[in-house]
């Protein structure tokens, strides 16, 4: 072989090396991703540039048949709820996929969200799990995440109440090194836990005080307030709650419905929404003050004392209502006959996914995979 041929062969081999490296992923770190599959909304937090890109959608799907090919197609989220209200399915109405059929529906929904939003497959995924004593449901949720196309490098779960508290306590993971109480004002459950440097103590859950129950109450109160002339479904009631509930500056609002025999009826809501959320806060304070906190004090008196000297962290969808943090703080202080402080993340509806993403980032930085 001539000297020129040897040089050409060496250059060819050198050129080929980057292709081999590229095919194995290039040695880059996986993308740290946070996931919260919620009964009402699903949120995925993905790093982008110097910040986060958050995907937030209703946890629902609807199927329809392509009129040309006959192929079954899937819509998810707000599009499904708007276009197919008659057959849209909320896959996690109880907070978890209760059986195999619900798990399959949730997996279909989750994969549609992943595909539509370019969520990286080479990722380290941390997902938030609710504090619910339901081994089968939690196992089904785990199977949904692990069966998806993301999380090739790592998949781990942490309590939703811890993940949700992370953005409320600092810019990093200060919550993991602190002692505090967190209350999750969720759609399907009211949850509370104490945390001692990341260790979950006395997890508490009740389905008696929920955001979904508020929706049902609003629907009933609207019927009463309009003397039976207006009947709304729970989805409309939820929309009223999210758009109008406000402990600071609530204003009566009007809406229009179509009459069955033709024409329309305009009506004004003055009390229904706020009556329902006002009762919710009273009931939530009652559960925390008289069920959860006594148990915490009985089992961990020092943690109880230290935690109540720090702000109580409120998370979950109901924490989005303006003024609810202050109302909870005032009413709990009255019930306990001592001053307590309450705080919430800037965006409670996405805080669990954001906190999970920060935990995933820490795991990637520590090469803990």
């Amino acid at each position: 072989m001539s000297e020129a041929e040897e040089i050409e062969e060496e250059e060819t081999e050198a050129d080929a090396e980057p292709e081999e490296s590229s095919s194995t992923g290039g040695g880059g770190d996986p993308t740290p991703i946070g996931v919260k599959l919620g009964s009402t909304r699903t949120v995925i937090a993905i790093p982008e540039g110097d910040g986060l890109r958050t995907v937030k959608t209703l946890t629902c799907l609807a199927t329809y048949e392509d009129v040309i090919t006959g192929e079954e197609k899937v819509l998810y989220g707000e599009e499904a709820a708007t276009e197919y209200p008659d057959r849209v399915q909320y896959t996690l109405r109880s907070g978890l996929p209760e059986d195999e059929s619900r798990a399959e529906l949730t997996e279909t929904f989750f994969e549609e969200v992943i595909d539509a939003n370019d969520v990286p497959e080479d990722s380290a995924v941390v997902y938030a799990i609710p504090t619910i004593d339901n081994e089968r449901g939690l196992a089904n949720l785990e199977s949904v995440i692990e069966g998806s196309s993301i999380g090739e490098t790592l998949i781990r779960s942490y309590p939703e109440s811890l993940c949700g508290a992370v953005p409320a306590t600092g810019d990093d993971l200060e919550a993991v090194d602190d002692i505090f109480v967190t209350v999750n004002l969720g759609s399907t459950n009211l949850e509370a836990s104490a945390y001692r440097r990341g260790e979950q103590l006395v997890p508490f859950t009740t389905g008696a005080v929920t955001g979904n129950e508020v929706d049902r109450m609003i629907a009933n109160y609207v019927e009463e307030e309009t003397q039976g002339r207006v009947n709304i479904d729970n989805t409309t009631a939820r929309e009223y709650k999210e758009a109008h509930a406000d402990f600071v500056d609530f204003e009566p609002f009007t809406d229009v419905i179509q009459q069955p025999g033709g024409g329309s009826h305009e009506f004004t809501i003055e009390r229904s929404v706020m009556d329902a959320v006002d009762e919710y806060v009273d009931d939530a304070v009652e559960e925390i003050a008289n069920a959860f906190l006594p148990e915490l004090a009985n089992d961990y008196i020092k943690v109880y004392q230290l935690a109540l000297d720090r702000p109580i962290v409120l998370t979950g969808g109901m924490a989005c209502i303006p003024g609810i943090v202050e109302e909870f703080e005032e009413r709990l202080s009255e019930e306990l006959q001592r001053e307590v402080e309450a705080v919430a993340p800037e965006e409670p509806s996405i805080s669990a996914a954001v906190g999970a993403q920060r935990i995933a980032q820490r795991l990637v930085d520590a090469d803990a995979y």
Side-chain angles (χ1 to χ4, degrees):
M1 180 182 296
S2 68
E3 182 177 351
E5 288 175 329
E6 289 177 352
I7 293 174
E8 182 178 354
E9 183 174 349
E10 289 172 358
E11 289 177 345
T12 301
E13 291 174 351
D15 290 341
E17 287 177 1
E19 290 186 17
E20 183 178 351
S21 175
S22 175
S23 68
T24 58
D29 288 335
T31 304
I33 292 173
V35 172
K36 169 62 174 71
L37 271 165
S39 57
T40 300
R41 284 187 172 83
T42 287
V43 183
I44 305 175
I46 310 157
E48 187 169 85
D50 294 329
L52 282 181
R53 173 169 65 97
T54 55
V55 175
K56 183 167 70 169
T57 182
L58 291 176
T59 309
C60 64
L61 82 166
T63 59
Y64 67 97
E65 186 178 286
D66 187 298
V67 295
I68 304 299
T69 65
E71 177 187 0
E72 183 180 74
K73 293 194 172 183
V74 177
L75 287 178
Y76 73 87
E78 285 76 3
E79 194 174 27
T82 301
E83 295 186 17
Y84 291 92
D86 53 326
R87 61 174 187 260
V88 68
Q89 298 186 73
Y90 286 81
T91 65
L92 297 175
R93 270 307 192 194
S94 66
L96 292 170
E98 296 291 342
D99 51 37
E100 288 186 10
S101 63
R102 282 283 153 182
E104 289 175 3
L105 278 174
T106 306
E107 188 169 349
T108 299
F109 158 80
F110 191 46
E111 201 62 42
E112 289 289 328
V113 176
I114 289 170
D115 290 344
N117 292 280
D118 299 322
V119 183
E121 294 182 3
D122 181 16
S123 51
V125 172
V126 168
Y127 65 101
I129 58 171
T131 304
I132 301 177
D133 186 17
N134 182 339
E135 291 186 9
R136 183 179 182 184
L138 291 170
N140 286 337
L141 179 62
E142 181 181 2
S143 72
V144 168
I145 303 291
E146 293 189 348
S148 71
S149 58
I150 63 174
E152 288 184 348
T153 301
L154 170 108
I155 296 176
R156 288 193 189 173
S157 64
Y158 288 84
E160 178 184 345
S161 54
L162 176 62
C163 294
V166 165
T169 56
D171 296 328
D172 194 11
L173 289 177
E174 289 87 348
V176 177
D177 297 318
D178 202 356
I179 294 174
F180 65 96
V181 161
T182 179
V183 178
N184 184 41
L185 308 176
S187 295
T188 54
N189 288 289
L190 174 72
E191 302 174 11
S193 292
Y195 283 94
R196 179 175 58 190
R197 300 191 179 278
E199 177 190 9
Q200 187 178 31
L201 305 175
V202 194
F204 169 84
T205 305
T206 176
V209 185
T210 70
N212 288 342
E213 182 59 27
V214 172
D215 300 341
R216 287 188 285 270
M217 291 166 60
I218 290 173
N220 291 335
Y221 289 168
V222 165
E223 183 177 3
E224 292 177 11
E225 186 174 345
T226 60
Q227 289 81 50
R229 293 191 300 273
V230 176
N231 292 280
I232 61 172
D233 57 24
N234 290 342
T235 298
T236 303
R238 174 181 56 78
E239 292 170 353
Y240 283 179
K241 177 185 69 181
E242 293 178 353
H244 300 288
D246 190 330
F247 282 100
V248 181
D249 294 310
F250 173 77
E251 294 183 0
F253 60 95
T254 60
D255 202 354
V256 178
I257 60 170
Q258 298 301 312
Q259 301 282 30
S264 61
H265 172 62
E266 182 177 281
F267 59 95
T268 299
I269 297 302
E270 296 184 352
R271 304 183 309 274
S272 301
V273 171
M274 291 310 298
D275 282 353
V277 296
D278 189 66
E279 290 179 31
Y280 171 85
V281 176
D282 278 343
D283 292 343
V285 166
E286 173 75 16
E287 291 287 346
I288 297 305
N290 297 309
F292 167 67
L293 288 176
E295 185 177 353
L296 176 62
N298 185 62
D299 293 349
Y300 300 94
I301 184 62
K302 288 298 183 183
V303 171
Y304 169 85
Q305 294 169 340
L306 289 169
L308 287 191
D309 286 335
R310 293 163 167 80
I312 294 174
V313 181
L314 303 184
T315 64
M318 291 294 290
C320 296
I321 296 173
I324 197 171
V325 175
E326 293 75 17
E327 288 291 326
F328 184 91
E329 177 182 278
E330 179 180 341
R331 298 184 201 188
L332 185 59
S333 296
E334 292 176 0
E335 188 71 23
L336 297 178
Q337 297 185 344
R338 60 166 290 172
E339 290 296 319
V340 296
E341 181 183 354
V343 298
E346 185 175 343
E347 297 184 75
S349 63
I350 66 172
S351 64
V354 171
Q357 193 279 329
R358 290 188 192 175
I359 295 172
Q361 182 69 67
R362 175 71 61 86
L363 292 171
V364 170
D365 291 343
D367 293 331
Y369 53 87

